[in-house]
Amino acid sequence: MNALYISNYRNDKSRNNRRMNPLRKWRNTLRGYEISGQDGFFVASLYNCCNVTERDLAWLKKNLSTVDSNFDTLFINYKSDEKSTGIDREALLFLNRTSIQKILVVTNAKAADLPGDPLLDLFDIVFKREHYVDLDRYPVSSVNKAKIRNTMLGCPLIRTTTRNVHTIRPASLGFTAPSEQFSHDLFFSGKTTSPIRLNAMERLHKEGFNVLGGLNAHKKYDDPIPPALLSPRFSRNGYIQAVRGSKINLALEGYGEYTFRHNEILFLCSFMISTPSIRGLKLPLHLIENKHYVCFEDLDDLVDKVRYYLVNESERQTISRAGRDLFEKEYDLKKHGQYIKQAIQS
């Protein structure tokens, strides 16, 4: 099946990016082009079920007359507009001149961020990252609710390229058992993309826990970060060591409810406490609270659960193993690719 994918414009490190310098293009041809970003898991899965060509929106407009004859299905990322803020209906009305199956890919971080009926009406299927289980929470027609299919974020610690995308098996990567040596009680590292991150880190420091990491300043947020909470960014290896060397790892919502941190902690067979906003989300991973991870209700509850799991090692390790086991089985690009293919064919 031949699929044309119109990429997220900001991440148009598209595997066929004509703007890429020749040296990098040559290197990527040998090693494979990186698949990452908000749509990384979806795109990698798509490569597992289709012959994929990636282009930008300008190319699609210019070559629309050849699309029907060269491709079986057309995928358009919602952020394929030049500002990467979300394309509008008027910008896609030219699609009425083609009869190809049209699929919208919405990789916005927040579960609530779904375009309205005017745009959804143009498409046959809509893949939405970590959407609500209860589709009635979306103010769109019942016809468009029925179009919604599921996808999610990828795991940045699993290097994925167009060359290795068919061979990735999480069970053969990373760590298959929890760490037994710890240098810190808690670890978190991330930008100040949500107030809960600042509030949680302030409270945990105040309680006297042995905290590693902290916050990276973000230009969109003006609230000053206390110096004690500031943290430089970790290298890849440094980040892995920090997660594995901490008894408890925090997965705090940022732009959206489900973050790269959630997948990374599961992959590293480590213990995770998450903000409760991930409840009610649908993911390809069938995560169960208190089996694969733990949530907290508010800052008082967070402190209580940190204290509890710091001393209850057996429970902590059991949850860590269960999270890793689930990730090994269900972070499956081939399986998700088949899910995408079935959606197309049905």
Side-chain angles (χ1 to χ4, degrees):
M1 183 176 294
N2 295 321
L4 175 61
Y5 181 64
I6 306 304
S7 308
N8 180 329
Y9 188 85
R10 181 177 296 171
N11 289 341
D12 194 19
K13 299 165 183 169
S14 147
R15 273 52 72 180
N16 292 304
N17 192 342
R18 291 165 294 163
R19 295 184 288 274
M20 191 176 291
N21 71 66
L23 178 61
R24 185 179 176 193
K25 185 175 288 189
W26 174 79
R27 184 176 67 245
N28 287 344
T29 301
L30 292 178
R31 300 178 182 175
Y33 286 69
E34 181 184 4
I35 301 176
S36 60
Q38 289 187 324
D39 61 350
F41 182 77
F42 177 84
V43 173
S45 300
L46 187 63
Y47 269 86
N48 264 275
C49 69
C50 296
N51 298 316
V52 181
T53 298
E54 295 191 55
R55 294 289 186 265
D56 59 22
L57 197 59
W59 184 95
L60 176 62
K61 291 178 180 178
K62 185 177 180 180
N63 295 276
L64 186 66
S65 62
T66 67
V67 168
D68 282 358
S69 58
N70 291 329
F71 301 98
D72 300 303
T73 188
L74 169 65
F75 294 82
I76 297 182
N77 191 291
Y78 178 55
K79 292 186 177 181
S80 58
D81 60 302
E82 291 191 6
K83 293 183 179 179
S84 283
T85 55
I87 199 162
D88 56 36
R89 175 185 173 85
E90 288 68 28
L92 292 179
L93 288 178
F94 71 92
L95 293 177
N96 290 328
R97 303 200 305 271
T98 180
S99 60
I100 194 171
Q101 184 184 44
K102 304 168 186 69
I103 300 173
L104 183 66
V105 182
V106 183
T107 53
N108 297 32
K110 292 183 180 298
D113 287 349
L114 183 75
D117 284 325
L119 183 63
L120 299 187
D121 288 342
L122 297 177
F123 292 90
D124 302 298
I125 302 170
V126 179
F127 278 91
K128 172 69 177 89
R129 205 189 100 191
E130 300 120 28
H131 64 69
Y132 293 131
V133 172
D134 180 6
L135 296 180
D136 287 337
R137 297 180 68 175
Y138 294 111
V140 298
S141 70
S142 57
V143 171
N144 284 325
K145 288 174 189 173
K147 297 176 183 178
I148 297 174
R149 302 292 184 272
N150 189 232
T151 191
M152 71 169 188
L153 275 175
C155 179
L157 295 179
I158 299 178
R159 288 186 171 127
T160 307
T161 72
T162 52
R163 274 200 183 278
N164 73 2
V165 70
H166 300 288
T167 60
I168 289 175
R169 299 292 180 269
S172 65
L173 304 170
F175 302 86
T176 57
S179 176
E180 295 181 354
Q181 296 183 342
F182 302 99
S183 57
H184 292 83
D185 295 336
L186 290 160
F187 173 62
F188 176 77
S189 177
K191 295 179 180 178
T192 51
T193 49
S194 173
I196 188 61
R197 293 185 168 188
L198 178 60
N199 295 339
M201 297 306 290
E202 280 185 324
R203 179 65 182 274
L204 294 170
H205 273 273
K206 183 179 179 181
E207 295 291 337
F209 295 114
N210 181 8
V211 180
L212 175 62
L215 302 169
N216 320 133
H218 194 283
K219 61 184 179 181
K220 289 188 177 181
Y221 294 83
D222 297 327
D223 291 341
I225 301 173
L229 304 185
L230 280 171
S231 171
R233 294 187 180 185
F234 287 73
S235 67
R236 174 188 171 87
N237 289 336
Y239 176 79
I240 292 171
Q241 291 172 10
V243 172
R244 294 282 296 173
S246 300
K247 291 182 178 180
I248 294 172
N249 289 273
L250 301 182
L252 305 175
E253 65 186 79
Y255 286 128
E257 299 89 346
Y258 195 82
T259 70
F260 288 124
R261 296 290 179 268
H262 289 81
N263 281 342
E264 291 165 342
I265 296 168
L266 293 169
F267 173 66
L268 293 174
C269 196
S270 297
F271 181 78
M272 173 169 61
I273 297 183
S274 170
T275 35
S277 55
I278 68 169
R279 294 170 179 159
L281 299 186
K282 182 173 177 60
L283 295 88
L285 307 181
H286 295 87
L287 288 170
I288 299 173
E289 186 176 347
N290 297 322
K291 179 178 181 180
H292 304 117
Y293 71 100
V294 171
C295 276
F296 65 91
E297 305 298 334
D298 52 33
L299 294 182
D300 289 338
D301 189 46
L302 172 60
V303 170
D304 289 342
K305 285 180 174 171
V306 167
R307 286 179 175 149
Y308 177 84
Y309 284 105
L310 282 177
V311 297
N312 284 275
E313 181 175 359
S314 177
E315 289 185 51
R316 196 179 69 241
Q317 302 287 59
T318 297
I319 291 172
S320 300
R321 286 192 184 90
R324 167 71 191 201
D325 289 345
L326 179 80
F327 189 86
E328 287 182 8
K329 294 174 184 175
E330 298 192 355
Y331 189 90
D332 189 328
L333 301 177
K334 184 176 181 180
K335 178 181 176 182
H336 197 60
Q338 289 302 312
Y339 171 76
I340 295 171
K341 190 172 183 179
Q342 289 170 5
I344 295 170
Q345 294 174 335
S346 64

